[in-house]
Every structure is written in structure tokens, then in C-alpha cells.
Amino acid sequence: MKHATWPARIILLVLSGIILYAILSARRGKKLYLRRIPGLNAIEEAVGRAVEMGRPILGSIGLGDVDVITLQALAIISSVATTAARFAHRIVLPLRNAAQVPIAEEALRAAYTAGGRPDVFNEQDLPFLSGEQFAYAAGVAGIIQRERPAATFLFGTFYAEALIIAENANQVGAIQIAGTPSTTQVPFFIAACDYVLIGDEYYAATAYITRQPTLLGSLIGQDIGKMLLLGMIILGVVLVTFGSPFIANIFGDKDLETFAAYFRAATGGK
Amino acid sequence: MGGFFVPKQGAELWAYIIGAFVVGLGILYALSLTPKSLRKTLIAGITFLGGLFFALEFFWPVDTAGPMAGKNFLTAYIKPVSSVTTILGAFALGLGLYSMVSIHGRAVAKRRENWGFSAVLLGAILAMAIPAIWKEYDKSPQIAGFYRIMYDGGFNPLNATMFSIVAFYIVSAAYRAFRIRTVEAGILLMSAVIIMIGQVTLGQLLTAWIPNENFSSNFRVENLSNWILTRVNSPAQLAISLGIGVGTLATALRLWLSLERGAFFDEEL
Amino acid sequence: MFDFLSNDATVRVIYIWCAALCTLGIYSILYKENKVYRFLEHLFLGLATGYTISQTWTTILKPQWWEPMTNDGQWWWALALPAGLLFYMVFFPRHAWMSRLIFGFFFGAAAGRTFQAFAATYFPLVKSAVNIPLMNPPEASMPGAYWLTGTSAILNNLLFLAIVISVMVYFFFSFEQRHPAIRMTSRFGRYTLMFAFGAIFGSTIMARMSLLIGRMFFLIHDWFQVTVLGMKG
Amino acid sequence: MDNFLRLIVRAQRIDRRILYLLLALCIAVPIAVDVPQPRPVVMPETQSLYNTIESIAKDPVESKKLAIVCTNYSGGTLAENQTQNEAIVRHLMRLKLKFAVFAFATPQGRELGRAVADKLAEEYKYVYGSDYVDLGFCPPDAIEVRLKAAVDDLPGAFEKDSAGAALTSLPIMAQVKTVNDINLIVEVTPSETLPPWLQFFQRAGEKPIPTVYCPTAVMGPEKYPLLKSGQLQGMMLGLRGASEYETLLGVDGFGHRGGASLSLSHLLIILLILLGNLGMFAERRLRRQQGRA
């Protein structure tokens, strides 16, 4: 679809409207419920174990550019860092994208300050490892084998390097928590990690950890949006079963003329 | 000569380039004077404008006929605007380089433990970057040969080998993870094994005796694995991606309208 | 002095030997971390960074920025340089906030593109999810259909719909999944997810093995048989 | 009996290095020693890809148009993508279809795609410039714009071939003006590079352009919905798909040769999984016995 059709305009506007309304009402202080997401409770446990063993924590915010997904990952790692800072514990966070470097440095410095130990933060623990996927993987594998982290937090966009990182960390006995919207890598995280966030649990994670009204509201809005889409799918299947491709056409490329034709047919060809 | 925004040539061109650069620096200076109270608003404004262009271009009705068929008044600017984003993104590389060179440069300068590896890294940057750029300007065979050794003898095989190492890890991961400890692990194992058998000729031989027609064809392993991929995997993937899609839309809205909260966004400026 | 670099055959022998040594050296990490791997890791990081630099210049900055500016006389591209400098404001604590201006522009652009990406990516998916009639499926009248095709097509379509519903229900976060019907649906969703992930795992194995086959083919054929033993390619 | 159980229990914790060695052997031996093996069964999506190209060649109007072979892979996935690419290009050349090589994910992709075309061109007497053309590399950030522009003015959007010659000066481009002069999109890729074609090009003309997909095995499964939704007309899944395609074409390529290694390595993994599970059950049984004793 190059440009919006009228149904696309309406659907996108309605979805956006629902999400924004939910965000704004949450910001005005509406009470919101969020169900438990199992993997997230393990974060404290993992940090605690790393502190006990006296080995560092390794984080990764994946291969993404500075985009939505990477920023979510950084928010999760930052909250891990705040917890770690309370025990004056080190986090190593290798970076693949040059533009991530200043943002990650700022975010982690802020997190350590919030945890009361700005002195523990060290820029050298956020090395930039080339712009290439497997050079990054080779570098992270080397860091894992040398530093032997006791816990790893892998969040963000991942591709084939996911398993290289996760298996190396597994070999050194790290407890691992991972989350990614890249569906193709989820099975490998399931195989190699202790806790995995699946699908849009990833988007829910930041809301769950930070308890920010904006993010909670957004999540509620997303839920309503998904229900709406699901409702349309079910209605569409029923209509298709009775011979009407109405909903299917709404999501097609053709604009109004299809609907004009549909209504002509429905009203007896006027 | 004509207007202001027309291509220039020769000395005049360079005067314009330098002039534009200086004016740009002036704008930077003016921006740096922004009072604290206005900074967040300014950033929010630029964010909104950056998104508004693409959103409007998509939503604005297009002409249905005539020379502008399928276009609206913004479509023509898609190309230059995208060029600008690409070019600006390329300028960010220096940030990563600075981080890398400062860490390893310091290690070499202070002769820290294992500084030799840092020296290798710094040397390799130059050994790759210089011939790769040089060969664009100088077509001599020596440079091409040197580049070839660096690329086909170093970078490319290292890349391919690091990628292929996943094959080993996939075996150890499968061996460890595919134990029927829970119902879920059992399901994971079952579907993975059926797909694996259905994928290779040796596996397909197992059921090759079953006629591949009508009802009996359902029992051939490659058809079974295809059924899993199309009838079970597809809808599950579809449902996951719809969820992620709505999540992306929500996050995009928060970013665009500067409603986003979290580590990076809540800092005092 | 560097004349041998202009001889294709010599260059080929050199790079095949280098490639073989790199390949074997990287695999040594499978045994355990060692100096050879560490050397190659740093070499790789350096080469990759060098490659990124050269690609940034040759495929982006030179053709899209430098040449239009200096060859085609489009002087206004010079304004991009100060804009790019905004990234580097992070090095000056007093002005670090200014880098947010350019990040803001990037976030905005990414967000603005999402609307079209959403419509283009997810609308056809919804359309395909809807196009599954639960009566008189078109498959029943297609060539190759037999007495059970109609029934199985309906069952498959029902399954398709059931999976879409249950997986989406699994990902609802805003209410406790307490009601037995919802809990069952959600659990069925989780089971089908595991089925799908198993399928991805299974089919990925083939892709990863193919990569290893490629490397082994290089080691055995290109390097050992052709270059070391001098056999005919 | 107990000793046997104990042995299996120990097999549960085989050192990973032994697993790695076994895998290396399973892959290497069939490559070093040529093993005869049967032909694979052709999957419907592979057959559909083949039929799509065949029907284009049979159509008097469509067969005159230009196919775009987009080779977005790099050295990392040669085994899969190069084999697929060779199979497709061979098929196009057999049917005397004109095509363009193009890449936007990595500059390597263009070089590799061009090399395959040049190699096979000798065999099928294809001439550069009149039978096939190299549209060069387009940086990934610019692909959206490039494709949008190509919809109405294809030679204008791509301007020059990779050697710097104006596209309009090449005989092959004489009849190629807009998106309506393209008969096929082939995307050979190890990554998420399909969306630009589907979003900005496939359906931008008078009728949708047949689009076929040659992903690595890992990228394939998530694209099955697109086959059903009609956005894809065929798919060649990884090395196996290439091997099936070689069967359809009746040639012995790398897809066929690598098949034995593929089979053995899969067999190894299945055996290992079996062993691991047996070990787990044996351990449980031993523990239960000890509990009783």
C-alpha cells in the first residue's frame, strides 16, 4: 500500500485514537491492572546471584539502530543497572551501533546515579564492537569467555548471533533472561536461556518494570486495539463463510470503488 | 546564475559551500543559547516535524488521474528527505569509532596487559579501510590485490565462520533443551523433530512408500511437516506479528508525540 | 616490491591460506577460549570496523552527499555537516542536550513511517486471516481434490482461526486470565506457540547446517584439495 | 540392566566438545567422499515457483518483459543463497527470459549476483546489455525511495548500471519504462528484505507482479502466510528448496551435493535428542529404584 485507502485511514486513526486515549487517561491517574509476566520477576534473582558470585553482569541491546525496540531494551537494562548499582556491581554492555553509544552511556550513567553509586560506572564497560553482526558476536563471545558473567540480559533486536551469545554464556554457567520481538530467535533463547519474553511481552516488559502510567496506559490501549482487530477477523470469517468478502476488502489495496460496487450489489444494482 | 537554490560552479560553488557551512555553524550556536525551559519543547517540535512529513505523505489523498496520479503534493520530496536521513545517520559512525579507538588506543599507549591485541585491532581498521576506499580512486592491481587478501582472506571467511559456528551451538542447545520435562518442551521437541525429518531426503525416504495422493498423502512426513509450517506455524506467527504490530504503532505514537517515558526521556536537560 | 599483489594466482593462494587459517582459528573457541581466538577476534573487529568505515563513505557519503555537492553544484548539502555535528555535542557536557535534536528527528522519522509500514505489512495479513470460509471452501472444487478435501479444508480453517484467537488471547495483558474458558484458550495459545517455535527451530537447523557445509566445503575442497594438494578444481 | 541404565544416564551429559566433533564429521565426510543419494520430494511452494517462471515464459506478452533478480546475500550464506540464485538464473536463461541483477541489502550481494549471472552467461550465450543487465547497488536506506521512483520511471530511478553506463543506452532497457514492464521479482536473501518489494513495488502497477522468494531456511517459515495471502507466488526454502529446484531443472548442483551432509547432520541431532531423553527417563527410573531400596 503506497498511500492510505479510506478504510486504512479510518482503521489507523481509530487504533491510534484508542491508544492515545488510554495513555492520556492513565496519565490522569486512572488505576490500571497488569497481569504478572513470569520472566520479569527473575531479574532481581539474577542480579543477586551475580553479586553473590562476584562476577559481572553482561547486557546486550541487540543489533537494532537507535529505534523503538532498542530504546525499550535500554530501559530494561537501565533498571537492571539501578539494581546492580545498589550492590556496586559491574554491568558490561557491548554495543553494535555507533549511534547507540552516547545514548547507552547517558542512560547507564543515570541508572548508576539513581542506584547511588555513580563512581562504579565506567565508560570502558560499554565497548563499541564494529558495525558488523558477526564481528559483534565474536567480540561478545570473547568477552563472555574472559569475564565469565554470572548473569546475562539479552534484550532488543536479534538475528543469528543470538545463539552464539546465549550458548557461550550458557557454557560459563550464567543465568540468562532474554526478550526480543524477533520471532525467529525466540526458539533459540528458549533453548539456551532460563527466562524468555515472547512476542509483545517485550513491549509489556518496560511497562511492567517501570510502572510508568504512560507505558501502562499504552499497553491497555494496545490490548483494546488487538481486541478490535481480533473482532474484525472473527466477523470477517463469518461474513466470508456466508459469501461476503466485506472485511477482507477493507484490508485490501483497493479504495472506495470496491465499496461502491459492494453497496451497489447489496442494494440491488442501483 | 538565477536563483539562490540552483546548482553553482567553480569558485562560486565553494564560496556557497563554505558559506552554507558557516551559516549552519551559526544556527548551531544560536540553538546552543536556547534557555533550559524551551529545550524539551524544541526537541519535541523537531521530533514531531520529522514524523509529520512521512505521515502526511501517506495519509494525504492522492490524485486519481493526470500527471500526478497516485501522488500527492509531498510525494516528490520523499527522495530528498530520505537522503537527508541516510546521510545524517552516516555521520554518527564517528561516535562508535571514538569509543573503540579511545579504549584500545589507551590500552596500547599505556602498555596495559594484552595491549598487543588492541594494536592488532587498530592496525586491522587501517588495513581494511584504507585500501577499500583507495581502490575507488586508484584502479591499480596492487591495491586491488591487497584489498582482496584483506577481504577474501580475512573479513569474509571470519564472517562466514563466525556465522557457521551457530551450527555447533544449535546441536548442543537442541541436545540440552529438547528433553520432555514438561508438556511444552514435549510439543517443542515433537514439532522440531517432524520438521527436521521432513526436510532431508533421508527422512523423506521413511515415508516414500506411502502413495502421494488423496487421503494417504497426509501421512507422508514432508506433507506433515509442511502442514505444521502452513497450518500451525502460520496462524501462530500471524497472531504474534499482529500483537507486535500494534505494539510498534503504540510506541511510534508515543515517540512521535514525545509522550515516551523511560531512562533516556526523563532526564533533566 | 608489491608486484606480487598484481598476480591473481599468487593473491588467490595467499587469501585462501589466510582464510583457511582464520576458519580453523575461529573454530578453536569450540574447544576453549585461547590466544589464537583472541587474536582473530580482535583482527575481525578491526577489519569489520574498517569495512564499515569504507562502506559508509563509498556507498552513502560519497555518492549521496559529496558528489552531488562538489560535482553537481548542489551547495546546500553543506548544511548537512553542521547538522551531523549535533551528534558530537555529547562530548560537551554543557551542550550535550543538543544531540537530542538530531535523535529527535530520527525518532520522529521512524515513527512517521510506521503508519505506512503498518498498513502495508499487517493489512494483507489480516486479509489472509479473514479469507478462510468455514463452509464450502474453494479447495473442495480445486483440481486434485478428493472426498475428504472439503472436510479437511474446513477443519484446517477452523484450526487456523482457533490458533489466531488463542495466541492473541495469550498476549492480552490487561486482565487476569482467571475464567476457565479464557485460561484454556490462553493455554492452547501457549501450546501452539511452542509448536510454532519448534517448527522454526527445526527449519533453522537446516539453514545453519548449510552454512557449516559451506565452510567445510571451503576447507576440504578449495583449501586442502585444490590449494594444498594441487588437485584440479 | 542397571549397568545399562547407568550407561545411558551418563550419555545425558556428553561433553559438548564430543558433540561438536561428531557434527564436524557428519558434515565433512560426505563432502570429502562423494555419496550417491536419492532425489528429494518437491514441495508445493517450490513447484509453484517453478510453474510461475514457466508460465511467464509461455505468455507472449509477459515473456518480453524484464525480471528482477534481487540478490541481497553476502558471503556468509553462500551455501544456501548462491545455490538458489544459480538455480533461478539457470532457469531464466533456459527459457530465454531477460533479467536484471540488483541488490540493496549489501554491496557484496550485487557482486555475487553479478558473478553468478556472468558465469552462467557463458554457458547459455547470454550477452550483457541485451539479455541481462546489472542495476547496481542501492543503499538500504534509499531503497524505499528508489522503488517508489522506479514505479513510474524505472531507468530514471536506477540511472546507471554498475559500470556507470546510462541505462537508457542499453538495448535491454529499450522496452522497459515503468513498473508495468516487469514480469517477475525474485528476492534471494538471508534477511528481512522482502517488505520494500511488497510495500512499494509489487502492487504499484496495473496488475500485481509475480513475486518469488528464496530465503535461507530460517527466514522461510514466517513467510508462509504470504503464500496464502497471494503476496508470494512461490518459495525456495534454503538448501533443500534449491535441491528440489535442481531436481525440477534436472541438474546436479551444490544443492544436491550438500544433501548427504544435511541428512547425516539431522540424523545425528535426532539421535542425540533421543539419547538425551532416554538418559533422563533412565535416571528417573534409577532414582525410583533407589528410593524403594
Side-chain angles (χ1 to χ4, degrees), chain A residues 55-181:
Chain A
R55 287 171 16 195
I57 293 169
L58 182 115
S60 174
I61 52 173
L63 289 196
D65 296 333
V66 176
D67 55 16
V68 175
I69 294 166
T70 307
L71 290 169
Q72 296 258 16
L74 195 57
I76 300 174
I77 301 280
S78 299
S79 87
V80 173
T82 312
T83 315
R86 283 192 214 115
F87 305 99
H89 205 71
R90 240 178 101 211
I91 290 188
V92 185
L93 183 68
L95 302 166
R96 202 255 352 175
N97 187 295
Q100 289 172 356
V101 176
I103 302 184
E105 280 181 4
E106 258 188 83
L108 253 64
R109 187 177 287 122
Y112 272 93
T113 311
R117 291 304 297 269
D119 54 306
V120 183
F121 175 76
N122 181 357
E123 281 164 14
Q124 302 227 352
D125 284 338
L126 281 73
F128 167 71
L129 301 181
S130 94
E132 289 285 322
Q133 178 184 12
F134 290 104
Y136 176 76
V140 177
I143 291 174
I144 290 174
Q145 295 283 351
R146 289 189 289 274
E147 304 257 0
R148 308 184 74 76
T152 62
F153 295 89
L154 312 175
F155 290 91
T157 307
F158 286 93
Y159 302 98
E161 75 292 340
L163 192 62
I164 299 181
I165 300 173
E167 269 297 290
N168 270 288
N170 193 295
Q171 282 172 18
V172 301
I175 178 169
Q176 305 203 69
I177 302 171
T180 176

Side-chain angles (χ1 to χ4, degrees), chain A residues 33 35 106 138 146 223 226, chain C residues 100 170-171 173-174 176:
Chain A
Y33 173 79
R35 81 167 160 86
E106 258 188 83
R146 289 189 289 274
D223 259 18
K226 284 188 285 182
Chain C
R100 302 284 176 106
Y170 176 77
F171 286 118
F173 300 107
S174 51
E176 189 76 73

Side-chain angles (χ1 to χ4, degrees), chain C residues 101-122:
Chain C
L101 290 170
I102 192 150
F103 284 130
F105 172 73
F106 272 86
F107 297 163
R113 284 186 172 123
T114 306
F115 297 103
Q116 193 203 1
F118 187 91
T121 315
Y122 300 108

Side-chain angles (χ1 to χ4, degrees), chain D residues 18-97:
Chain D
I18 296 175
L19 303 183
Y20 296 158
L21 185 69
L22 287 173
L23 177 67
L25 288 175
C26 284
I27 300 278
V29 171
I31 296 177
V33 196
D34 219 352
V35 195
Q37 52 164 330
R39 285 289 181 182
V41 184
V42 178
M43 288 287 126
E45 63 270 14
T46 316
Q47 184 73 51
S48 157
L49 201 175
Y50 183 87
N51 296 348
T52 303
I53 296 186
E54 287 284 321
S55 62
I56 290 171
K58 289 201 186 88
D59 186 313
V61 181
E62 292 296 318
S63 61
K64 298 282 180 296
K65 296 181 182 176
L66 185 75
I68 296 181
V69 180
C70 186
T71 50
N72 275 329
Y73 58 95
S74 62
T77 53
L78 273 189
E80 290 180 281
N81 291 135
Q82 185 103 312
T83 317
Q84 294 167 330
N85 189 17
E86 277 193 31
I88 288 269
V89 170
R90 189 180 289 280
H91 195 189
L92 292 175
M93 286 186 173
R94 264 193 199 174
L95 298 171
K96 305 255 175 289
L97 292 170

Side-chain angles (χ1 to χ4, degrees), chain B residues 57 71 79 82 86 151 163 168-169 172 175 178-180 189 196-197 199 201-202 204 222 230 233-234, chain D residues 11-12 14 20 40-41 43 77 108 141 145 148 152 221 224 240 263 266 269-270 272-273 276-277 280:
Chain B
E57 200 276 330
K71 292 179 185 165
K79 192 172 176 174
S82 297
T86 311
Y151 187 82
F163 198 171
F168 292 102
Y169 292 144
S172 50
Y175 176 66
F178 288 161
R179 303 266 163 93
I180 313 177
L189 180 147
M196 279 164 63
I197 296 176
Q199 257 176 353
T201 38
L202 207 63
Q204 290 170 357
E222 68 272 13
T230 52
N233 177 43
S234 284
Chain D
Q12 236 192 127
I14 307 174
Y20 296 158
V41 184
M43 288 287 126
T77 53
Q108 260 196 72
D141 308 316
V145 182
K148 281 185 166 187
D152 301 310
Y224 273 97
R240 183 198 79 190
S263 293
H266 280 64
I269 297 174
I270 292 173
L272 286 173
I273 293 175
N277 278 291
M280 194 179 70

